[in-house]
Amino acid sequence: MTLAGKKIILGVTGSIAAYKAVFLLRRLIEEGADVTVVMTRYATNFVAPLTFQVLSKKPVYSGMFDPDQGKDIIHLYLNRGADVILVAPATANIIGKMANGIADDLLSTMLIAARCPVILAPAMDYEMYENPVVQKNISYLRNLKIDFVGPETGLLASGDTGPGRMSEPDDIITFLEDKLGIKGDLSGHTVLITAGPTREAIDPVRYISSRSSGKMGYAIAEAAKSRGAKVILITGPASLTIPQGIEAINVITAEEMLDAVMNRLSDSTVLIMTAAVSDFRPAEKAISKIKKGEAINLKLIKTPDILEEVCKKKGNQFVVGFAAETEDLITNAKEKLRIKHLDMIVANNVSLPGAGFEKDTNIVTLIDKEGKIKEYPEMPKSDVADMILDNVISKINKGYNG
Ligand code: CTP
């Protein structure tokens, strides 16, 4: 919720990229912003105002002289108290109007009257974007300290490739946060998280796995992202939606998870290993389906211990492991912390009703490498995620250096 309490005017102009403004609005709302949408008349041809109204839970403004606007001078009233006006998509037309002082509709009038920062996210075909007049307008506005985010070079609505593609909503949000001076406490960190189960094939239709749903790891990924971290989520098969704005790497087996973690280890500053990795795999995978018979003997061999391998190779990353236990919680967790050379371990008794696999809550005990133990009550996994990150960042701020 990095934008909580921020009042944002989202201006939407008449470009096909107006559909992306819907996703942008959703992300702004998710981050806690108070958003008022102002659309140009042409924008309403691309997306119905009702879409923005439902998502923002507020009226959408378009006209200067709508009869139901009462006694307020609408363009001044809407601008009052705004932290930023963000125009996304911004067409060549709105850029041109702003650069030349033209105020002939609600949005262009608000831009001329603005007393807050203005950010424009251009979207147009490359032929328009490269036009010298458009370029002159952009440089003129840049000189006046108007900010531009994008455009990107890529596939355009015309089917051509070139500059003019509106920046992605997450990139616009990052730009906005920088502009507003918002830095989460994990900003500058890259958090690598393993989540979910792994699967080890017995034959083409059967596998060995665990009951992990991935909920704990995904909750940490989401919390770390909203606290400003870059997040790499290495996930085994889980039926959860990848949170917005994070890089996800999908893996199936323990070997694949180990490779993925090793590949990205040097990019990270914090590692949080929530995955319930399958500890064994069949010594051989049958190429065709094993037919049912009386009984079969499966020879199982050990999979690599990812956390142990990582801790042998790591630099000064802060490493958090999990311990899924059903008995002797503290003793077993302390032993894992010691053997795997962790900085912190999150122990949970997975047999308790409010804890462990597939649940939305967890009951955990945190143990650090100095042996300090903190017990927590049953909490939603999203709160457990923030609590773990609070502890990690407090250790890092106290001068942890691997
Ligand atoms: N882990 C891992 N690779 C494995 C097994 C576990 O990286 N092959 C990690 C888990 O992600 C977790 C920690 O090690 O962070 C402890 O996992 P857990 O399943 O509790 O314990 P194990 O080490 O597998 O030991 P045991 O099954 O004997 O309890």
Side-chain angles (χ1 to χ4, degrees):
M1 300 281 269
T2 56
L3 296 171
K6 296 293 175 199
K7 187 176 167 196
I8 296 170
I9 308 286
L10 175 62
V12 183
T13 66
S15 150
I16 179 63
Y19 82 91
K20 281 196 196 169
V22 176
F23 296 95
L24 176 59
L25 172 62
R26 257 191 55 191
R27 289 283 298 115
L28 291 167
I29 301 281
E30 274 171 18
E31 293 301 338
D34 167 10
V35 189
T36 302
V37 178
V38 177
M39 301 178 78
T40 62
R41 196 160 52 86
Y42 283 165
T44 63
N45 289 315
F46 288 94
V47 181
L50 185 61
T51 309
F52 291 106
Q53 183 184 315
V54 170
L55 290 173
S56 67
K57 300 193 174 58
K58 282 180 165 194
V60 170
Y61 298 87
S62 212
M64 289 285 283
F65 308 110
D66 293 347
D68 58 351
Q69 275 165 7
K71 59 185 171 33
D72 291 308
I73 301 172
I74 191 68
H75 59 283
L76 302 179
Y77 162 77
L78 290 177
N79 272 358
R80 201 164 299 142
D83 290 291
V84 66
I85 302 182
L86 168 65
V87 184
T91 54
N93 186 42
I94 196 79
I95 294 169
K97 282 191 204 177
M98 198 179 173
N100 290 282
I102 296 168
D104 66 352
D105 65 2
L106 180 58
L107 183 61
S108 56
T109 310
M110 286 172 70
L111 287 169
I112 304 286
R115 284 282 182 268
C116 61
V118 172
I119 301 175
L120 303 176
M124 64 197 80
D125 204 77
Y126 77 97
E127 283 151 334
M128 294 174 81
Y129 184 68
E130 287 174 351
N131 181 297
V133 176
V134 174
Q135 286 301 316
K136 186 192 83 180
N137 289 337
I138 290 175
S139 359
Y140 182 67
L141 290 172
R142 276 192 205 280
N143 284 337
L144 294 177
K145 303 279 176 259
I146 301 298
D147 281 301
F148 284 81
V149 49
E152 309 298 326
T153 295
L155 187 64
L156 303 167
S158 60
D160 291 325
T161 298
R165 223 180 121 83
M166 188 174 101
S167 294
E168 292 306 316
D170 278 321
D171 296 331
I172 296 177
I173 290 199
T174 306
F175 187 93
L176 183 68
E177 288 170 347
D178 281 352
K179 180 75 197 161
L180 295 176
I182 294 162
K183 293 250 179 285
D185 58 356
L186 284 171
S187 106
H189 281 282
T190 300
V191 183
L192 190 156
I193 300 160
T194 64
T198 60
R199 279 182 192 166
E200 310 297 333
I202 298 171
D203 68 12
V205 292
R206 306 176 180 98
Y207 55 78
I208 296 174
S209 191
S210 75
R211 281 177 49 206
S212 168
S213 60
K215 284 181 181 170
M216 193 63 249
Y218 279 57
I220 296 174
E222 196 150 10
K225 163 75 190 132
S226 71
R227 292 168 72 150
K230 182 172 180 304
V231 179
I232 305 168
L233 176 68
I234 299 176
T235 173
S239 51
L240 298 173
T241 312
I242 304 288
Q244 288 270 353
I246 69 166
E247 179 188 349
I249 301 171
N250 291 290
V251 296
I252 307 280
T253 65
E255 280 288 348
E256 288 171 10
M257 189 173 271
L258 174 67
D259 286 349
V261 173
M262 287 301 187
N263 275 337
R264 303 309 299 274
L265 182 62
S266 61
D267 298 335
S268 65
T269 54
V270 176
L271 276 141
I272 306 182
M273 311 287 262
T274 72
V277 183
S278 174
D279 290 318
F280 302 99
R281 69 173 175 83
E284 270 162 48
K285 178 188 158 189
I287 292 169
S288 38
K289 188 181 170 196
I290 300 170
K291 300 309 272 179
K292 68 173 173 245
E294 279 301 295
I296 57 162
N297 279 321
L298 264 186
K299 183 173 178 221
L300 299 180
I301 57 172
K302 254 190 97 212
T303 56
D305 190 311
I306 301 167
L307 200 41
E308 220 175 308
E309 294 299 316
V310 162
C311 284
K312 283 183 204 154
K313 303 242 162 62
K314 80 178 191 82
N316 54 7
Q317 289 91 347
F318 191 93
V319 184
V320 182
F322 267 66
E325 306 295 342
T326 52
E327 58 198 354
D328 300 328
L329 182 72
I330 304 294
T331 316
N332 285 337
K334 275 186 160 173
E335 190 56 7
K336 284 177 189 169
L337 178 101
R338 189 184 66 77
I339 295 175
K340 303 193 188 201
H341 304 286
L342 309 178
D343 296 299
M344 192 185 280
I345 194 153
V346 184
N348 58 161
N349 184 337
V350 291
S351 57
L352 292 178
F357 300 130
E358 296 158 331
K359 312 264 172 49
D360 290 320
T361 56
N362 211 349
I363 305 169
V364 304
T365 302
L366 235 62
I367 310 174
D368 66 18
K369 70 173 175 205
E370 290 79 37
K372 197 156 154 235
I373 298 176
K374 288 192 199 169
E375 282 180 31
Y376 291 87
E378 180 176 327
M379 297 197 281
K381 283 185 171 165
S382 55
D383 289 354
V384 175
D386 270 316
M387 177 279 289
I388 293 169
L389 294 172
D390 288 344
N391 278 278
V392 168
I393 205 70
S394 134
K395 291 266 180 207
I396 291 176
N397 289 344
K398 279 183 194 145
Y400 167 86
N401 63 1

PDB file of all heavy atoms in Angstrom, residues 24-50:
ATOM      1  N   LEU A  24      -4.028   0.059 -14.875  1.00  0.00           N
ATOM      2  CA  LEU A  24      -3.278   1.038 -14.092  1.00  0.00           C
ATOM      3  C   LEU A  24      -4.127   1.511 -12.904  1.00  0.00           C
ATOM      4  O   LEU A  24      -3.649   1.573 -11.770  1.00  0.00           O
ATOM      5  CB  LEU A  24      -2.892   2.222 -14.986  1.00  0.00           C
ATOM      6  CG  LEU A  24      -2.179   3.385 -14.325  1.00  0.00           C
ATOM      7  CD1 LEU A  24      -0.875   2.934 -13.684  1.00  0.00           C
ATOM      8  CD2 LEU A  24      -1.892   4.494 -15.337  1.00  0.00           C
ATOM      9  N   LEU A  25      -5.402   1.801 -13.179  1.00  0.00           N
ATOM     10  CA  LEU A  25      -6.295   2.247 -12.108  1.00  0.00           C
ATOM     11  C   LEU A  25      -6.392   1.171 -11.023  1.00  0.00           C
ATOM     12  O   LEU A  25      -6.304   1.457  -9.832  1.00  0.00           O
ATOM     13  CB  LEU A  25      -7.683   2.572 -12.678  1.00  0.00           C
ATOM     14  CG  LEU A  25      -8.768   2.874 -11.635  1.00  0.00           C
ATOM     15  CD1 LEU A  25      -8.406   4.105 -10.802  1.00  0.00           C
ATOM     16  CD2 LEU A  25     -10.127   3.087 -12.298  1.00  0.00           C
ATOM     17  N   ARG A  26      -6.539  -0.070 -11.450  1.00  0.00           N
ATOM     18  CA  ARG A  26      -6.629  -1.167 -10.469  1.00  0.00           C
ATOM     19  C   ARG A  26      -5.398  -1.232  -9.589  1.00  0.00           C
ATOM     20  O   ARG A  26      -5.479  -1.398  -8.376  1.00  0.00           O
ATOM     21  CB  ARG A  26      -6.789  -2.511 -11.201  1.00  0.00           C
ATOM     22  CG  ARG A  26      -8.199  -3.007 -11.164  1.00  0.00           C
ATOM     23  CD  ARG A  26      -8.309  -4.422 -11.647  1.00  0.00           C
ATOM     24  NE  ARG A  26      -7.428  -5.340 -10.927  1.00  0.00           N
ATOM     25  CZ  ARG A  26      -7.187  -6.581 -11.311  1.00  0.00           C
ATOM     26  NH1 ARG A  26      -7.745  -7.044 -12.405  1.00  0.00           N
ATOM     27  NH2 ARG A  26      -6.400  -7.358 -10.616  1.00  0.00           N
ATOM     28  N   ARG A  27      -4.229  -1.077 -10.191  1.00  0.00           N
ATOM     29  CA  ARG A  27      -2.976  -1.132  -9.421  1.00  0.00           C
ATOM     30  C   ARG A  27      -2.872   0.064  -8.467  1.00  0.00           C
ATOM     31  O   ARG A  27      -2.425  -0.084  -7.347  1.00  0.00           O
ATOM     32  CB  ARG A  27      -1.766  -1.167 -10.372  1.00  0.00           C
ATOM     33  CG  ARG A  27      -1.600  -2.457 -11.125  1.00  0.00           C
ATOM     34  CD  ARG A  27      -1.011  -3.555 -10.238  1.00  0.00           C
ATOM     35  NE  ARG A  27       0.310  -3.205  -9.774  1.00  0.00           N
ATOM     36  CZ  ARG A  27       0.625  -2.982  -8.492  1.00  0.00           C
ATOM     37  NH1 ARG A  27      -0.275  -3.085  -7.538  1.00  0.00           N
ATOM     38  NH2 ARG A  27       1.857  -2.661  -8.156  1.00  0.00           N
ATOM     39  N   LEU A  28      -3.303   1.244  -8.944  1.00  0.00           N
ATOM     40  CA  LEU A  28      -3.252   2.431  -8.078  1.00  0.00           C
ATOM     41  C   LEU A  28      -4.143   2.221  -6.851  1.00  0.00           C
ATOM     42  O   LEU A  28      -3.766   2.539  -5.724  1.00  0.00           O
ATOM     43  CB  LEU A  28      -3.710   3.676  -8.846  1.00  0.00           C
ATOM     44  CG  LEU A  28      -2.775   4.178  -9.952  1.00  0.00           C
ATOM     45  CD1 LEU A  28      -3.483   5.197 -10.839  1.00  0.00           C
ATOM     46  CD2 LEU A  28      -1.513   4.797  -9.357  1.00  0.00           C
ATOM     47  N   ILE A  29      -5.325   1.645  -7.106  1.00  0.00           N
ATOM     48  CA  ILE A  29      -6.265   1.396  -6.002  1.00  0.00           C
ATOM     49  C   ILE A  29      -5.667   0.345  -5.052  1.00  0.00           C
ATOM     50  O   ILE A  29      -5.731   0.485  -3.834  1.00  0.00           O
ATOM     51  CB  ILE A  29      -7.640   0.918  -6.556  1.00  0.00           C
ATOM     52  CG1 ILE A  29      -8.245   1.968  -7.491  1.00  0.00           C
ATOM     53  CG2 ILE A  29      -8.588   0.484  -5.448  1.00  0.00           C
ATOM     54  CD1 ILE A  29      -8.907   3.139  -6.850  1.00  0.00           C
ATOM     55  N   GLU A  30      -5.070  -0.712  -5.633  1.00  0.00           N
ATOM     56  CA  GLU A  30      -4.437  -1.746  -4.785  1.00  0.00           C
ATOM     57  C   GLU A  30      -3.372  -1.142  -3.882  1.00  0.00           C
ATOM     58  O   GLU A  30      -3.161  -1.589  -2.769  1.00  0.00           O
ATOM     59  CB  GLU A  30      -3.744  -2.804  -5.656  1.00  0.00           C
ATOM     60  CG  GLU A  30      -4.655  -3.920  -6.117  1.00  0.00           C
ATOM     61  CD  GLU A  30      -3.965  -4.797  -7.157  1.00  0.00           C
ATOM     62  OE1 GLU A  30      -2.713  -4.761  -7.270  1.00  0.00           O
ATOM     63  OE2 GLU A  30      -4.687  -5.508  -7.856  1.00  0.00           O
ATOM     64  N   GLU A  31      -2.681  -0.124  -4.391  1.00  0.00           N
ATOM     65  CA  GLU A  31      -1.631   0.518  -3.590  1.00  0.00           C
ATOM     66  C   GLU A  31      -2.194   1.580  -2.652  1.00  0.00           C
ATOM     67  O   GLU A  31      -1.451   2.337  -2.047  1.00  0.00           O
ATOM     68  CB  GLU A  31      -0.550   1.130  -4.497  1.00  0.00           C
ATOM     69  CG  GLU A  31       0.274   0.126  -5.286  1.00  0.00           C
ATOM     70  CD  GLU A  31       1.018  -0.884  -4.399  1.00  0.00           C
ATOM     71  OE1 GLU A  31       1.242  -0.601  -3.210  1.00  0.00           O
ATOM     72  OE2 GLU A  31       1.365  -1.971  -4.887  1.00  0.00           O
ATOM     73  N   GLY A  32      -3.517   1.663  -2.571  1.00  0.00           N
ATOM     74  CA  GLY A  32      -4.151   2.522  -1.565  1.00  0.00           C
ATOM     75  C   GLY A  32      -4.408   3.949  -2.012  1.00  0.00           C
ATOM     76  O   GLY A  32      -4.822   4.782  -1.192  1.00  0.00           O
ATOM     77  N   ALA A  33      -4.179   4.280  -3.311  1.00  0.00           N
ATOM     78  CA  ALA A  33      -4.371   5.661  -3.762  1.00  0.00           C
ATOM     79  C   ALA A  33      -5.858   6.019  -3.833  1.00  0.00           C
ATOM     80  O   ALA A  33      -6.713   5.156  -4.032  1.00  0.00           O
ATOM     81  CB  ALA A  33      -3.721   5.845  -5.128  1.00  0.00           C
ATOM     82  N   ASP A  34      -6.119   7.320  -3.672  1.00  0.00           N
ATOM     83  CA  ASP A  34      -7.466   7.856  -3.839  1.00  0.00           C
ATOM     84  C   ASP A  34      -7.476   8.452  -5.256  1.00  0.00           C
ATOM     85  O   ASP A  34      -6.848   9.481  -5.498  1.00  0.00           O
ATOM     86  CB  ASP A  34      -7.650   8.927  -2.739  1.00  0.00           C
ATOM     87  CG  ASP A  34      -8.870   9.791  -2.964  1.00  0.00           C
ATOM     88  OD1 ASP A  34      -9.679   9.459  -3.840  1.00  0.00           O
ATOM     89  OD2 ASP A  34      -9.001  10.819  -2.254  1.00  0.00           O
ATOM     90  N   VAL A  35      -8.145   7.766  -6.195  1.00  0.00           N
ATOM     91  CA  VAL A  35      -8.019   8.150  -7.603  1.00  0.00           C
ATOM     92  C   VAL A  35      -9.321   8.710  -8.163  1.00  0.00           C
ATOM     93  O   VAL A  35     -10.386   8.114  -7.992  1.00  0.00           O
ATOM     94  CB  VAL A  35      -7.605   6.929  -8.479  1.00  0.00           C
ATOM     95  CG1 VAL A  35      -7.251   7.373  -9.895  1.00  0.00           C
ATOM     96  CG2 VAL A  35      -6.453   6.162  -7.861  1.00  0.00           C
ATOM     97  N   THR A  36      -9.216   9.853  -8.826  1.00  0.00           N
ATOM     98  CA  THR A  36     -10.360  10.415  -9.553  1.00  0.00           C
ATOM     99  C   THR A  36     -10.010  10.357 -11.037  1.00  0.00           C
ATOM    100  O   THR A  36      -8.931  10.817 -11.437  1.00  0.00           O
ATOM    101  CB  THR A  36     -10.597  11.885  -9.152  1.00  0.00           C
ATOM    102  OG1 THR A  36     -10.800  11.920  -7.744  1.00  0.00           O
ATOM    103  CG2 THR A  36     -11.805  12.467  -9.860  1.00  0.00           C
ATOM    104  N   VAL A  37     -10.913   9.778 -11.831  1.00  0.00           N
ATOM    105  CA  VAL A  37     -10.625   9.625 -13.258  1.00  0.00           C
ATOM    106  C   VAL A  37     -11.305  10.735 -14.058  1.00  0.00           C
ATOM    107  O   VAL A  37     -12.490  11.029 -13.861  1.00  0.00           O
ATOM    108  CB  VAL A  37     -11.084   8.236 -13.769  1.00  0.00           C
ATOM    109  CG1 VAL A  37     -10.831   8.093 -15.264  1.00  0.00           C
ATOM    110  CG2 VAL A  37     -10.366   7.125 -12.995  1.00  0.00           C
ATOM    111  N   VAL A  38     -10.517  11.357 -14.936  1.00  0.00           N
ATOM    112  CA  VAL A  38     -11.044  12.383 -15.848  1.00  0.00           C
ATOM    113  C   VAL A  38     -10.759  11.889 -17.259  1.00  0.00           C
ATOM    114  O   VAL A  38      -9.604  11.578 -17.594  1.00  0.00           O
ATOM    115  CB  VAL A  38     -10.346  13.740 -15.599  1.00  0.00           C
ATOM    116  CG1 VAL A  38     -10.838  14.781 -16.601  1.00  0.00           C
ATOM    117  CG2 VAL A  38     -10.593  14.213 -14.171  1.00  0.00           C
ATOM    118  N   MET A  39     -11.804  11.777 -18.079  1.00  0.00           N
ATOM    119  CA  MET A  39     -11.621  11.249 -19.434  1.00  0.00           C
ATOM    120  C   MET A  39     -11.901  12.332 -20.468  1.00  0.00           C
ATOM    121  O   MET A  39     -12.784  13.173 -20.263  1.00  0.00           O
ATOM    122  CB  MET A  39     -12.588  10.086 -19.700  1.00  0.00           C
ATOM    123  CG  MET A  39     -12.430   8.926 -18.752  1.00  0.00           C
ATOM    124  SD  MET A  39     -13.639   7.622 -19.094  1.00  0.00           S
ATOM    125  CE  MET A  39     -12.916   6.804 -20.515  1.00  0.00           C
ATOM    126  N   THR A  40     -11.174  12.287 -21.574  1.00  0.00           N
ATOM    127  CA  THR A  40     -11.560  13.158 -22.676  1.00  0.00           C
ATOM    128  C   THR A  40     -12.732  12.481 -23.401  1.00  0.00           C
ATOM    129  O   THR A  40     -12.996  11.281 -23.209  1.00  0.00           O
ATOM    130  CB  THR A  40     -10.404  13.372 -23.672  1.00  0.00           C
ATOM    131  OG1 THR A  40     -10.065  12.111 -24.236  1.00  0.00           O
ATOM    132  CG2 THR A  40      -9.196  13.994 -22.995  1.00  0.00           C
ATOM    133  N   ARG A  41     -13.394  13.271 -24.249  1.00  0.00           N
ATOM    134  CA  ARG A  41     -14.560  12.728 -24.961  1.00  0.00           C
ATOM    135  C   ARG A  41     -14.134  11.551 -25.846  1.00  0.00           C
ATOM    136  O   ARG A  41     -14.794  10.525 -25.894  1.00  0.00           O
ATOM    137  CB  ARG A  41     -15.190  13.845 -25.804  1.00  0.00           C
ATOM    138  CG  ARG A  41     -16.582  13.559 -26.298  1.00  0.00           C
ATOM    139  CD  ARG A  41     -17.276  14.866 -26.670  1.00  0.00           C
ATOM    140  NE  ARG A  41     -16.467  15.684 -27.585  1.00  0.00           N
ATOM    141  CZ  ARG A  41     -16.469  15.562 -28.908  1.00  0.00           C
ATOM    142  NH1 ARG A  41     -17.226  14.653 -29.489  1.00  0.00           N
ATOM    143  NH2 ARG A  41     -15.734  16.366 -29.653  1.00  0.00           N
ATOM    144  N   TYR A  42     -12.982  11.679 -26.510  1.00  0.00           N
ATOM    145  CA  TYR A  42     -12.542  10.589 -27.392  1.00  0.00           C
ATOM    146  C   TYR A  42     -12.187   9.339 -26.592  1.00  0.00           C
ATOM    147  O   TYR A  42     -12.392   8.218 -27.067  1.00  0.00           O
ATOM    148  CB  TYR A  42     -11.328  11.018 -28.231  1.00  0.00           C
ATOM    149  CG  TYR A  42     -11.661  11.929 -29.397  1.00  0.00           C
ATOM    150  CD1 TYR A  42     -10.667  12.640 -30.055  1.00  0.00           C
ATOM    151  CD2 TYR A  42     -12.974  12.056 -29.842  1.00  0.00           C
ATOM    152  CE1 TYR A  42     -10.965  13.471 -31.130  1.00  0.00           C
ATOM    153  CE2 TYR A  42     -13.285  12.898 -30.905  1.00  0.00           C
ATOM    154  CZ  TYR A  42     -12.276  13.606 -31.543  1.00  0.00           C
ATOM    155  OH  TYR A  42     -12.580  14.422 -32.609  1.00  0.00           O
ATOM    156  N   ALA A  43     -11.671   9.513 -25.380  1.00  0.00           N
ATOM    157  CA  ALA A  43     -11.310   8.338 -24.563  1.00  0.00           C
ATOM    158  C   ALA A  43     -12.538   7.473 -24.293  1.00  0.00           C
ATOM    159  O   ALA A  43     -12.445   6.248 -24.239  1.00  0.00           O
ATOM    160  CB  ALA A  43     -10.683   8.788 -23.254  1.00  0.00           C
ATOM    161  N   THR A  44     -13.710   8.146 -24.166  1.00  0.00           N
ATOM    162  CA  THR A  44     -14.923   7.384 -23.849  1.00  0.00           C
ATOM    163  C   THR A  44     -15.355   6.497 -25.014  1.00  0.00           C
ATOM    164  O   THR A  44     -16.187   5.625 -24.859  1.00  0.00           O
ATOM    165  CB  THR A  44     -16.093   8.314 -23.434  1.00  0.00           C
ATOM    166  OG1 THR A  44     -16.416   9.148 -24.551  1.00  0.00           O
ATOM    167  CG2 THR A  44     -15.735   9.165 -22.239  1.00  0.00           C
ATOM    168  N   ASN A  45     -14.766   6.734 -26.211  1.00  0.00           N
ATOM    169  CA  ASN A  45     -15.036   5.824 -27.344  1.00  0.00           C
ATOM    170  C   ASN A  45     -14.280   4.512 -27.180  1.00  0.00           C
ATOM    171  O   ASN A  45     -14.635   3.499 -27.767  1.00  0.00           O
ATOM    172  CB  ASN A  45     -14.617   6.462 -28.675  1.00  0.00           C
ATOM    173  CG  ASN A  45     -15.542   7.580 -29.061  1.00  0.00           C
ATOM    174  OD1 ASN A  45     -16.755   7.439 -28.958  1.00  0.00           O
ATOM    175  ND2 ASN A  45     -14.982   8.703 -29.481  1.00  0.00           N
ATOM    176  N   PHE A  46     -13.184   4.535 -26.425  1.00  0.00           N
ATOM    177  CA  PHE A  46     -12.355   3.335 -26.273  1.00  0.00           C
ATOM    178  C   PHE A  46     -12.773   2.499 -25.059  1.00  0.00           C
ATOM    179  O   PHE A  46     -12.816   1.283 -25.132  1.00  0.00           O
ATOM    180  CB  PHE A  46     -10.875   3.722 -26.142  1.00  0.00           C
ATOM    181  CG  PHE A  46     -10.284   4.219 -27.425  1.00  0.00           C
ATOM    182  CD1 PHE A  46     -10.255   5.571 -27.717  1.00  0.00           C
ATOM    183  CD2 PHE A  46      -9.774   3.322 -28.356  1.00  0.00           C
ATOM    184  CE1 PHE A  46      -9.719   6.028 -28.914  1.00  0.00           C
ATOM    185  CE2 PHE A  46      -9.231   3.774 -29.554  1.00  0.00           C
ATOM    186  CZ  PHE A  46      -9.205   5.131 -29.839  1.00  0.00           C
ATOM    187  N   VAL A  47     -13.037   3.162 -23.947  1.00  0.00           N
ATOM    188  CA  VAL A  47     -13.452   2.448 -22.731  1.00  0.00           C
ATOM    189  C   VAL A  47     -14.613   3.216 -22.105  1.00  0.00           C
ATOM    190  O   VAL A  47     -14.571   4.451 -22.017  1.00  0.00           O
ATOM    191  CB  VAL A  47     -12.285   2.366 -21.702  1.00  0.00           C
ATOM    192  CG1 VAL A  47     -12.713   1.611 -20.452  1.00  0.00           C
ATOM    193  CG2 VAL A  47     -11.054   1.704 -22.296  1.00  0.00           C
ATOM    194  N   ALA A  48     -15.634   2.482 -21.674  1.00  0.00           N
ATOM    195  CA  ALA A  48     -16.796   3.160 -21.075  1.00  0.00           C
ATOM    196  C   ALA A  48     -16.418   3.753 -19.722  1.00  0.00           C
ATOM    197  O   ALA A  48     -15.732   3.102 -18.926  1.00  0.00           O
ATOM    198  CB  ALA A  48     -17.936   2.167 -20.912  1.00  0.00           C
ATOM    199  N   PRO A  49     -16.880   4.983 -19.427  1.00  0.00           N
ATOM    200  CA  PRO A  49     -16.598   5.596 -18.122  1.00  0.00           C
ATOM    201  C   PRO A  49     -17.008   4.693 -16.954  1.00  0.00           C
ATOM    202  O   PRO A  49     -16.373   4.688 -15.911  1.00  0.00           O
ATOM    203  CB  PRO A  49     -17.429   6.884 -18.140  1.00  0.00           C
ATOM    204  CG  PRO A  49     -17.603   7.196 -19.603  1.00  0.00           C
ATOM    205  CD  PRO A  49     -17.633   5.886 -20.321  1.00  0.00           C
ATOM    206  N   LEU A  50     -18.064   3.899 -17.171  1.00  0.00           N
ATOM    207  CA  LEU A  50     -18.555   3.036 -16.093  1.00  0.00           C
ATOM    208  C   LEU A  50     -17.457   2.092 -15.575  1.00  0.00           C
ATOM    209  O   LEU A  50     -17.392   1.794 -14.381  1.00  0.00           O
ATOM    210  CB  LEU A  50     -19.759   2.228 -16.602  1.00  0.00           C
ATOM    211  CG  LEU A  50     -20.475   1.365 -15.575  1.00  0.00           C
ATOM    212  CD1 LEU A  50     -21.042   2.209 -14.442  1.00  0.00           C
ATOM    213  CD2 LEU A  50     -21.587   0.553 -16.239  1.00  0.00           C
TER     214      LEU A  50
END
